[in-house]
C-alpha cells in the first residue's frame, strides 16, 4: 500500500478535464480524465491514501471540502505556504486556528520559508512571522508540521532548533538537499518527503541521490506535490505533450523503485516502511495492511 504524503488534488489544475501522467510496468504514459476517474485509477494501483496540505487561507477551506468528499482517504493539513503568506492579511491569521480545529485535521502545513525568488526584506520578515505563528499553532494543537523550505535551510533550522513544536516532529517536504543538510534535520528528528525530485536527470538529482543512502528508511515518506514536480520522462513522452500534463500519485512506484536502488533494498520494503512512517508520524486513522 502506498500513501502520498503530499498532494494538491484541490488545485484548479484538477477542476476541469485534464491531461495527466501515469506510470505502470511499461513506463510513463499520458492520459486524459477527471479527478474521480484518477482517484479510481490510483485506488486500483494500490495508492490508497493522501495528505492534502493547505497553501493559503482560501485553499484551506477547499482542502477541507475535498477531504469531506473522500472521507478516510484524503486527510487534511492546514497551513499558509511561505510564498502565499505575503499576500495574506495578518489580521486574518486567527482563521487558521478555526480551520485547524476541524475534526480530522492531521497536521499544520505547508509552512516554512522560501527565498528562491528575490523579494524585498520585508517579505522575508512576513514569511518569518507566519512561520512562527504556525509553529505556535502546531505546538498548541499538538500536531506535526509539513515544512516547505527552499533556499532557506539556515534560517529554518535556526528557528526549528529553538521552537518546542520540533518535539512533535514533521516532514521536510520535497527534500532536494545534500547529505549535510539532511544531517541537520535528522538531528532534530524530522522526516523527508521524497518524490519526483529523485527522478530527475543526474545533474539535478545528484546531491539527493548521494544523500538518500544516509537517510534511514524510517525517516522517508513518499510524496508527489501533484500537480507539480513531474519526473524527467522526456525520453518516453514528447516534451510538447508534457507541457500541460499534471503530475499524479501514479508515479510513486517509480519513486519507490529509485529509492530501493539507491539504498540497495527491495522496492517492497521501501513501500511498506514508508507507508508505516506516514501513518505513525501523522497518527493516521488507518490500519496498515
Ligand atoms: Zn505542496
Amino acid at each position: 500500500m502506498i500513501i502520498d504524503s503530499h498532494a494538491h488534488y484541490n488545485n484548479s489544475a484538477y477542476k476541469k478535464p485534464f491531461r495527466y501522467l501515469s506510470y505502470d510496468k511499461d513506463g510513463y504514459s499520458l492520459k486524459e480524465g477527471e479527478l474521480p476517474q484518477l482517484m479510481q485509477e490510483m485506488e486500483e494501483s494500490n495508492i490508497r491514501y493522501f495528505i492534502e496540505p493547505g497553501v493559503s487561507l482560501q485553499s484551506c477551506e477547499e482542502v477541507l471540502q475535498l477531504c469531506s468528499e473522500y472521507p478516510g482517504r484524503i486527510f487534511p493539513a492546514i497551513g499558509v505556504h511561505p510564498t502565499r503568506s505575503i499576500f495574506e492579511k495578518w489580521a486574518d491569521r486567527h482563521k487558521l486556528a478555526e480551520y485547524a480545529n476541524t475534526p480530522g485535521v492531521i497536521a499544520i502545513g505547508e509552512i516554512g520559508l522560501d527565498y528562491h525568488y528575490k523579494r524585498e526584506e520585508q517579505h522575508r520578515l512576513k514569511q518569518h512571522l507566519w512561520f512562527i505563528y504556525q509553529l505556535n499553532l502546531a505546538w498548541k494543537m499538538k500536531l506535526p508540521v509539513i515544512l516547505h523550505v527552499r533556499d532557506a535551510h539556515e534560517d529554518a533550522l535556526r528557528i526549528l532548533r529553538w521552537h518546542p513544536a520540533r518535539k512533535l516532529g514533521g516532514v521536510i517536504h520535497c527534500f532536494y538537499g545534500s547529505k549535510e543538510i539532511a544531517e541537520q534535520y535528522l538531528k532534530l528528528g524530522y522526516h523527508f518527503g521524497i518524490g519526483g525530485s529523485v527522478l530527475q536527470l543526474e545533474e539535478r538529482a545528484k546531491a539527493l541521490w548521494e544523500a538518500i543512502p544516509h537517510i534511514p528508511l524510517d525517516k522517508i515518506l513518499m510524496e508527489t506535490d501533484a500537480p507539480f514536480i513531474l519526473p524527467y520522462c522526456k525520453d518516453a513522452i514528447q516534451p510538447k505533450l508534457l507541457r500541460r500534463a499534471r503530475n499524479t500519485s501514479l508515479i510513486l512506484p517509480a519513486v519507490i523503485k529509485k529509492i530501493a536502488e539507491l539504498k540497495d533494498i527491495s522496492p517492497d520494503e521501501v513501500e511498506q516502511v514508508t507507508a508505516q512512517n506516514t501513518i505513525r508520524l501523522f497518527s493516521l486513522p488507518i490500519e496498515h495492511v
Side-chain angles (χ1 to χ4, degrees), residues 250-263:
L250 292 167
I251 67 147
L252 286 176
V255 176
I256 287 170
K257 212 168 112 192
K258 184 71 193 175
I259 291 175
E261 212 178 283
L262 291 165
K263 288 185 109 32

Side-chain angles (χ1 to χ4, degrees), residues 153-219:
H153 290 296
E154 205 181 309
D155 280 4
L157 280 158
R158 196 170 50 235
I159 292 167
L160 293 167
R161 274 188 203 107
W162 66 256
H163 202 287
R166 182 193 70 241
K167 296 177 201 154
L168 302 164
V171 59
I172 315 300
H173 128 76
C174 190
F175 184 68
Y176 229 123
S178 63
K179 181 181 150 214
E180 289 70 27
I181 294 170
E183 269 164 10
Q184 302 294 311
Y185 287 108
L186 276 173
K187 270 191 205 151
L188 297 176
Y190 284 105
H191 292 69
F192 299 83
I194 312 277
S197 49
V198 85
L199 300 173
Q200 304 301 323
L201 288 178
E202 188 172 358
E203 66 249 36
R204 271 188 82 192
K206 199 166 182 274
L208 182 59
W209 290 353
E210 284 168 6
I212 283 176
H214 299 275
I215 302 175
L217 187 58
D218 66 1
K219 292 290 185 195

Side-chain angles (χ1 to χ4, degrees), residues 6-8 53 55 81 110 148 173 225 228:
H6 193 119
H8 300 279
V55 294
H81 187 287
E110 52 184 297
H148 171 107
H173 128 76
D225 207 17
F228 312 109

Side-chain angles (χ1 to χ4, degrees), residues 20 44 60 62 77 85 93 115 131 142 160 181 265 275:
Y20 63 93
E44 285 158 10
C60 285
E62 292 167 13
S85 67
R93 65 194 183 282
Y115 299 166
F131 184 33
K142 298 292 173 270
L160 293 167
I181 294 170
I265 53 178

